[in-house]
């Protein structure tokens, strides 16, 4: 069994609740060291860790993502969806620089729902890779060959298509970070299956 993994789950105003909480909860069950980092909106005062998610749920991040946040601290960085949250991820030069540095080192990057279409595609992360995203946004993907799938794994990139696939997406993250046995163990504890 691999040692505990460190994971950054990014959130921003407008992130999707089901996805964010499924990712966080599943990875915590896998015994990953999860930190929730807030991506600030343009012009927003740094230091405010409260986030208003897409359906009005409020969440408090562990820390704010600033230009001092280092990608070396994490084995994975994960982006939930939600159009508002994904747009905030896209617009943050600090955050895009962080995930680019992380991804270029071959580390795991996960994105679900709107984030593949709003963040990864326009910033060039999907070049030469298969991916999926929220079905209504799939026309934004340059490579739509696997856009109909719920979860797509392409080397160190895992994408998911929306809230309904959030658990499967999260378990795929667990498998990549640890192994299939760990993902199945976590699935059983959540009264679901993972193949």
């Amino acid at each position: 069994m691999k040692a505990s993994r460190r994971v950054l789950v990014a959130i921003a105003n407008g992130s999707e609740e089901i996805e964010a909480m499924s990712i966080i909860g599943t990875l915590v069950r896998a015994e990953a060291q999860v930190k929730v980092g807030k991506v600030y909106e343009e012009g927003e005062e740094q230091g405010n860790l409260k986030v208003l998610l897409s359906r009005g749920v409020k969440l408090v991040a562990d820390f704010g993502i600033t230009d001092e946040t280092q990608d070396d601290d994490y084995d994975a960085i994960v982006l939930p969806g939600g159009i508002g949250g994904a747009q905030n991820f896209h617009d943050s030069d600090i955050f895009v620089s962080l995930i680019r540095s992380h991804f270029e080192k071959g580390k795991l990057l996960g994105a679900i729902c709107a984030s593949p279409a709003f963040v990864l595609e326009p910033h060039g992360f999907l070049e030469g890779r298969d991916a999926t995203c929220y079905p209504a946004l799939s026309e934004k993907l340059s490579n739509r060959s696997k856009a109909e799938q719920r979860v797509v794994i392409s080397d160190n990139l895992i994408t998911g298509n929306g809230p309904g696939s959030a658990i499967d997406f999260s378990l795929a993250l667990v498998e990549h970070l640890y192994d299939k046995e760990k993902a199945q163990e976590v699935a059983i504890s959540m009264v679901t299956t993972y193949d």
Side-chain angles (χ1 to χ4, degrees):
M1 170 89 64
K2 295 179 182 175
S4 181
R5 299 299 187 190
R6 293 177 45 87
V7 181
L8 167 59
V9 178
I11 59 170
N13 288 325
S15 289
E16 210 289 326
E17 291 86 342
I18 292 172
E19 295 160 0
M21 295 312 299
S22 295
I23 294 162
I24 294 165
T26 302
L27 291 169
V28 167
R29 284 174 181 262
E31 301 176 0
Q33 296 174 38
V34 177
K35 292 292 181 187
V36 179
K38 179 181 181 177
V39 174
Y40 293 103
E41 291 182 65
E42 190 174 324
E44 182 180 4
E45 179 183 336
Q46 293 188 1
N48 174 17
L49 299 180
K50 295 177 184 173
V51 177
L52 184 63
L53 301 176
S54 65
R55 304 298 187 277
V57 173
K58 295 172 186 159
L59 190 63
V60 178
D62 295 313
F63 68 97
I65 295 174
T66 67
D67 55 8
E68 296 172 11
T69 307
Q70 300 296 314
D71 73 284
D72 289 340
D73 294 338
Y74 302 102
D75 298 297
I77 298 177
V78 188
L79 291 64
I83 290 176
Q87 189 64 56
N88 285 324
F89 296 157
H90 171 274
D91 294 345
S92 172
D93 292 339
I94 290 168
F95 183 62
V96 171
S97 176
L98 175 73
I99 62 174
R100 183 172 313 285
S101 173
H102 176 86
F103 192 61
E104 287 175 351
K105 292 175 184 171
K107 293 182 174 185
L108 180 61
L109 180 62
I112 188 169
C113 191
S115 285
F118 275 75
V119 185
L120 303 187
E121 181 68 41
H123 286 292
F125 291 93
L126 299 183
E127 192 171 314
R129 294 184 179 263
D130 294 322
T132 190
C133 68
Y134 192 74
L137 301 173
S138 65
E139 73 279 353
K140 293 183 178 292
L141 300 180
S142 57
N143 175 1
R144 294 186 284 281
S145 66
K146 296 195 176 181
E148 299 297 319
Q149 294 184 17
R150 291 170 55 85
V151 177
V152 174
I153 301 168
S154 182
D155 298 319
N156 62 322
L157 175 70
I158 300 177
T159 54
N161 71 354
S165 66
I167 297 295
D168 291 339
F169 169 78
S170 300
L171 290 169
L173 295 169
V174 172
E175 180 178 0
H176 191 88
L177 289 166
Y178 294 96
D179 56 34
K180 189 166 191 163
E181 183 180 324
K182 181 71 163 181
Q184 290 172 330
E185 174 187 310
V186 172
I188 290 168
S189 78
M190 293 170 30
V191 195
T192 190
T193 59
Y194 181 74
D195 300 318

